[in-house]
Structure formats: structure tokens, C-alpha cells
Amino acid sequence: MLALLLQVLAGLLAWAVLPVVWRLTGWPLTGLALAGLQGGLAAVTGHLLGLPRWWLPISLLFMPAVVLGQQLDWPAWLPASMFALLLLANWNSLGERVPLYLSSAPAERALQQLLDQLPDDAAFIDLGSGLAGSLARLARANPQRQFHGVESAPLVFLLGWLRSLPLANCRVRYGSLWQVDLAPYALVYCFLSPAPMPRVWDKAQAEMGHGSLLVSNSFAIPGVAPTQRIELHDWRAGALLVWRMP
């Protein structure tokens, strides 16, 4: 929302500044020049206001890309469809501030090692299961266990649900992770973002049983030291943070 607001404010400022620049320099007053100025202003102000570094190229290039896209004379349904797909794939980013992250192969191996320490009937749930690739592979490797996932982004859920269908011990449901009872699960896994982790901890304390494991990929719980930290040595330099519930 901050990035969007900065684009609007930068656009208004660009409309006010560019005619002055044109009078002083004689530069052509084009739509692309206006978009470039707007993007530059949005990027600079976003950086000054503390937006993450990866927002800078997005802020800089967004409006020039819109102008160039209009010049390509695309049919109206194409950008609308692209926006709809992005929205369906990132729906939970709006309310939960949780983007789509995919677990790496080292993370799957570390999860398997944790499962090996639990009873054969120990159930596993992935909060925000995404495309369900890791969930399905773990389910296939552990047919004696039950594997569940929950996902709130519609398009991502559909793809994950289809992937889980051939497996008798794997199911993905559509909905919010906050509506899931964690009591039946011996291992609760999540790869979310820093934003929801304090609330995840409160939910885990209220619902998870004695000795069960809460596992977060990369994102810590503020003020709560993990029982175990498993370095993944993947391209993210990530780690599994494990809390054993008291």
C-alpha cells in the first residue's frame, strides 16, 4: 500500500514538474518521459521511507512498463488476465503479508529427519502449503503418516490440491491457517514471513500438544529462542527453526 501511494504521489508531482523541465530544457513532453520521472520519484521516496531494496526496481519500472505496454496495443483482456492470475496466486499477500515461498530440497531432507524422530503415526501439517510439492514428496516417502496442507491463495491452492489427489495420505484444504486446529499434529511446518510469526507462536502455544514440533523455515519468533536450529546450506542460506512445545 505504501508503494502504491508513492506511485500516486509521484505521478502528481511528475505532472507538476515535467512542464517546468520542458520549458527550461526543451526536452519533449512525452508519456514515457512522464512515466520515467514518476518511477524515479517513487523509487527515491520509497528508499527514503524504508521500503525493502527489491521494491526499488519495481517502483522505477512500473509506470514505464505500463506506457510501453499501451504502445504495444495489447488486447484489453491480456493485462487484465495477467493481473487476475497474479491476484489469484498472491491473494494471501494482501491480508497476511505472506508471499509464495517454495521449500528447498535441503529443507525437505531436514523435515524428513525430524519426522524420523517421531512415532510412525505422527501427523504433519504445512501451514501455507503453496504448490504442495514438498508436502506431496514427504507423503510419498512416508505412506504410514498423514500429511495435510492449508492454502488461502486460490490458484496456488488448486494446483496443490491437484498434486495431492493421487496420494491417499495427503490432503490440501482451502482456507486460512488461523482456522486450523493444530492439536492433532505432531509436526507443524510453516514457511511464511516475519509478519505473522508472533501470532503463529500464540496459536501454537494454545493448541499444540506436549512434545510436538513447530518448525519455521527461515523466519524466527521474536523473543523466543528455538530449541534447535538446522542449517540448510541452500541458496537462501536458510535454516529450519524448531520449537518443541512444553
Side-chain angles (χ1 to χ4, degrees):
M1 294 304 295
L2 177 60
L4 177 61
L5 177 61
L6 291 177
Q7 284 287 346
V8 174
L9 295 177
L12 295 174
L13 185 58
W15 273 104
V17 169
L18 197 60
V20 177
V21 174
W22 175 68
R23 293 190 187 96
L24 294 176
T25 65
W27 291 351
L29 192 62
T30 66
L32 188 58
L34 178 63
L37 180 59
Q38 175 178 338
L41 291 170
V44 170
T45 53
H47 177 68
L48 294 176
L49 292 177
L51 279 179
R53 189 175 302 173
W54 51 267
W55 265 110
L56 299 183
I58 298 175
S59 299
L60 179 64
L61 299 175
F62 176 72
M63 279 310 298
V66 170
V67 172
L68 291 173
Q70 290 178 328
Q71 294 176 358
L72 293 174
D73 197 25
W74 285 341
W77 60 265
L78 182 59
S81 300
M82 294 168 65
F83 175 78
L85 286 173
L86 286 172
L87 185 63
L88 290 173
N90 294 277
W91 183 258
N92 44 7
S93 298
L94 299 176
E96 304 289 352
R97 297 175 64 191
V98 177
L100 175 62
Y101 290 119
L102 302 179
S103 298
S104 63
E108 292 178 25
R109 291 193 290 269
L111 287 170
Q112 181 61 63
Q113 292 172 2
L114 291 172
L115 283 169
D116 290 340
Q117 302 171 21
L118 299 174
D120 287 344
D121 60 349
F124 175 105
I125 187 168
D126 187 345
L127 303 180
S129 52
L131 300 174
S134 296
L135 189 70
R137 285 186 287 272
L138 288 169
R140 196 174 292 112
N142 299 268
Q144 76 281 14
R145 305 181 191 273
Q146 289 297 313
F147 290 81
H148 296 161
V150 60
E151 177 57 53
S152 60
L155 180 60
V156 175
F157 155 74
L158 177 61
L159 296 174
W161 177 75
L162 291 172
R163 175 175 269 168
S164 72
L165 278 182
L167 301 170
N169 65 329
C170 183
R171 287 293 175 265
V172 177
R173 75 181 78 171
Y174 178 74
S176 169
L177 64 91
W178 309 116
Q179 304 303 316
V180 178
D181 182 12
L182 303 182
Y185 301 101
L187 198 159
V188 176
Y189 173 66
C190 57
F191 192 5
L192 300 173
S193 78
M197 292 310 298
R199 189 177 173 191
V200 168
W201 178 242
D202 292 340
K203 181 175 176 63
Q205 287 184 298
E207 300 175 10
M208 293 179 66
H210 166 69
S212 56
L213 302 179
L214 172 65
V215 182
S216 171
N217 193 325
S218 302
F219 301 114
I221 297 169
V224 184
T227 309
Q228 181 181 4
R229 179 185 176 95
I230 305 173
E231 299 295 338
L232 299 179
H233 305 291
D234 57 10
W235 66 272
R236 294 189 185 93
L240 293 191
L241 307 178
V242 184
W243 292 267
R244 185 175 293 274
M245 304 308 295

